[in-house]
Amino acid sequence: MNNREITPDAAGPPPKGATVARRALRDGVYEAILEKLLDGSAPPGSSLGIDSLARELSVSPTPVREALVQLEHTGLVSRVALKGYRVAPPLSPEQLSELFDMRGILEVAAVERAAEHAQDLLPELRVAHAQHVLAAHKVEKLRGSGETPPDFADLREYFAADWEFHLTIIRGAGNRFLTQSAEALSAHVHRLRQTAHHGTMDMQEAIAEHSAILAAFESGDPDRLRSTMRDHLAAVARRVSADG
């Protein structure tokens, strides 16, 4: 896990602006715990002790408790009566099906709307695609030489770039509620991809499918856009299902 500086809770009465500082502290703790979920250092089913996390992060239990409540709402952790919090188990086949069904509904709707001003979106989408390709190259170079970064930083960067390509299209739809819905899914998408056993095996397939989506935007053909996005999501779903 990357080192990040989290300021311990200040003793005594809260100064002016303490609400903002407390929120920043809670958000920092949230990100630190989320990173543990994504990099596999807190595997599915493992317990998340409030006191032990507070000691590890050098904060009081309060922001840890608040962060775990927030994570519970995402479904990534669950609270067990009298036992505290645990990392949620891997998505079941039914949940995977529902997740990809939701992504299909949301992302096909987004691509249809983004197609209306594809020319304005293309420069940003090309950059997002190039960053995805570069991140994949970094993973292949590192792991091809036999290195496996202990904090999975290379894979986190790769999957973040993969998802950013999708978010670029969703934001390009110009509908804030579509964007908010996608952001609500992001933790599940990241965890799904980063904990899949196939690991880096589908990088080239994903890049080729993103290239097809980019080419469809360049063509300006809405039907082609819809079909390439549907094909990509269906292919990812098949790869994940085959892996499970």
Side-chain angles (χ1 to χ4, degrees):
M1 190 171 74
N2 293 334
N3 293 327
R4 63 161 53 79
E5 186 175 328
I6 302 176
T7 305
D9 294 344
K16 185 177 181 180
T19 299
V20 174
R22 180 172 174 174
R23 185 179 300 118
L25 176 64
R26 181 199 63 203
D27 290 348
V29 171
Y30 175 93
E31 291 296 328
I33 299 173
L34 179 60
E35 188 171 304
K36 289 175 68 67
L37 302 179
L38 299 184
D39 69 16
S41 60
S46 62
S47 61
L48 295 168
I50 292 173
D51 291 338
S52 59
L53 284 169
R55 287 192 298 271
E56 179 183 339
L57 300 174
S58 300
V59 297
S60 78
T62 300
V64 174
R65 188 176 295 107
E66 292 173 345
L68 287 171
V69 168
Q70 190 177 356
L71 280 163
E72 185 180 9
H73 292 318
T74 71
L76 293 177
V77 306
S78 58
R79 189 171 185 276
V80 183
L82 305 178
K83 294 183 179 179
Y85 289 91
R86 289 189 177 277
V87 182
L91 295 174
S92 68
E94 182 181 7
Q95 289 171 319
L96 283 173
S97 176
E98 290 176 0
L99 175 59
F100 279 105
D101 185 37
M102 177 59 178
R103 284 191 65 182
I105 293 168
L106 190 154
E107 296 196 51
V108 172
V111 85
E112 289 173 345
R113 287 155 180 78
E116 297 172 6
H117 36 90
Q119 293 305 310
D120 294 332
L121 181 61
L122 270 172
E124 187 178 357
L125 193 59
R126 288 177 179 132
V127 169
H129 181 56
Q131 290 174 337
H132 183 210
V133 172
L134 178 60
H137 176 70
K138 288 180 179 178
V139 173
E140 290 178 334
K141 185 177 180 181
L142 267 178
R143 293 172 184 258
S145 64
E147 294 184 47
T148 302
D151 59 357
F152 297 95
D154 60 329
L155 285 180
R156 286 205 308 276
E157 180 182 351
Y158 167 77
F159 287 121
D162 184 315
W163 183 232
E164 181 60 26
F165 179 86
H166 289 262
L167 286 179
T168 299
I169 296 170
I170 293 165
R171 289 192 296 262
N175 184 312
R176 71 190 68 187
F177 298 107
L178 275 177
T179 301
Q180 288 172 6
S181 296
E183 289 171 348
L185 288 177
S186 64
H188 298 286
V189 172
H190 280 301
R191 187 160 181 246
L192 166 69
R193 297 299 304 274
Q194 294 190 35
T195 57
H197 296 303
H198 66 259
T200 65
M201 294 298 291
D202 77 334
M203 284 196 307
Q204 293 307 315
E205 291 92 333
I207 288 171
E209 289 154 14
H210 284 191
S211 294
I213 293 169
L214 177 58
F217 267 104
E218 291 170 337
S219 76
D221 183 344
D223 291 334
R224 183 178 171 188
L225 268 169
R226 282 190 291 269
S227 65
T228 52
M229 179 59 78
R230 285 196 187 101
D231 289 347
H232 172 47
L233 294 175
V236 175
R238 284 195 301 272
R239 290 194 290 269
V240 171
S241 297
D243 177 72

